[in-house]
Amino acid sequence: MFEVAELTHQISDQDYAEPIVALRTELLMVQQQLKTLDFPVLILISGVDGGGKGELIHALNEWLDARYMHTEAFDQPSDEEQERPKFWRFIRALPPKGQIGIFVGSWYSEPISKRVSGHLKDGAFERALNDINALEKLLTDDGGLIIKCWLHLKKSIQKKRLKALAANPDTQWQVTHKDAHHIKHYDDFIDTAEAVLTRTSTVHSPWLIVDGSDGNYARLTVGQHILNRIHRHIQQRARQQTLPEAAEPDLNLYQQSLLDALDLSLSLKKSDYQDKLAFYQTQLGQLSRKAKARQHSILLVFEGWDAAGKGGAIRRLTYAMDPRLYRVIPIAAPTDEERAQHYLWRFWRHLPRAGKMTIYDRSWYGRVLVERVEKLASNEEWQRAYAEIVDFERALTDHGITILKFWLHIDKDEQLKRFQAREKIPYKQFKITDEDYRNRDKWDDYKAAVNEMIARTSTHSAPWIMVEGNDKRHARIKVLETVCAALTRQLG
């Protein structure tokens, strides 16, 4: 794979001067065009130690308008980053639409390093590469452009370059004990890099392998590649927007539903409710402290019909816990900042640290519910979202996070009663809007969307719990009992 990159490529300063001026001009022009477009550009710079990554990144920052790009350098993860799933720190740093981001070190660094050191065996290595491919497909399916560049040096040149850097007082800081270790394991490193690049050079995000022995050649080659990829992506996006939209599936496909099978007559007497409420809240308080001590994270998702009782159920949970141990994230329409990112970005941001709980009052399932029914997402966008959501939740559970997803279900008559009751109570009137009544007119469409959502995203590690909600007391106790049972299984 690296044979071509080990051929001698040299460009004199004189031959470099003229084309680089033209390239810089064109890059600035396409960057200005990019500001008006609906996709981000992410440039990953990787390669061997001493391959010239720093010089290349410095040149890109010099050539481009710094107001519309940012560079992120990733080293060993911090304590905060280690407490979240592995992609958390990268996703938070993704560039918004219309801008360019450069990652120095990326999601490739850890799998390569651990594989070379022997800490990542065959199965785990393969899973890591599959996860990377899935992440990159997630970003490119949403319109993003990923440009991956690998700067290569053959062994003899790498040794010579690192020796020169170490001998110069101004650059010796760049050479670390890790670099010396890598030189000793150069062949293992190259074998691993070849396996990684082979498995992750895909149609939507291919690798460019560049000889890094001559800085002029590397900068000119990578700069031209970036320019060409952005131009092609702009053309492809324009063509895609002229294609007919994907067909919408039959809404009756999941009409034989779990919702219809729920017994909405289930109820609790007030006296029984008070006893059970006190019991489970006490238990939850103890379990949440135990989860903190064990550094075990919990994520709860609440979805349901308007006025189904999500807020009431959440309040009964949080009443039992130390406020320092949880966060409630209410989800509304995305902000401008959130719209400029992948739809899952804003949910990644709020993932709990070790030992904490995050409660989402509505969630990423808006993509396959309100965005589907209200035509806020294209058919293609929400149809692929089921697999994206399952992969997202699997990344969280693989990290050890407990996920419970609650659908609070009421019938249409009960919803109307609650709407009318809210209108009569001054401090609840703000909860009722014209939109709530308008959504009732689309009850059947939402019901079909809910059925499909549950059927396609309820997994063993992140199940949907259906809550019969016509009786609020029954619903609240079922939620509390379910959370306590799940934490008891997890914590022992």
Side-chain angles (χ1 to χ4, degrees), residues 404-421:
L404 295 174
K405 304 178 301 194
F406 295 95
W407 175 263
L408 273 69
H409 187 58
I410 57 176
D411 62 34
K412 203 171 181 179
D413 292 339
E414 178 63 24
Q415 184 189 59
L416 182 59
K417 290 178 185 177
R418 294 185 184 183
F419 281 4
Q420 293 170 342

Side-chain angles (χ1 to χ4, degrees), residues 82-85 288 290-300 325 351-358 396-397 399-404 487 490-491:
Q82 288 177 331
E83 292 178 14
R84 265 69 174 237
S288 63
K290 191 173 185 179
K292 173 61 177 175
R294 298 275 188 88
Q295 296 288 281
H296 184 84
S297 305
I298 308 111
L299 193 152
L300 305 181
L325 299 184
L351 294 181
R353 294 193 67 166
K356 302 291 185 70
M357 177 186 291
T358 296
L396 308 189
T397 56
H399 186 69
I401 298 175
T402 294
I403 300 178
L404 295 174
L487 289 180
Q490 292 288 335
L491 300 172

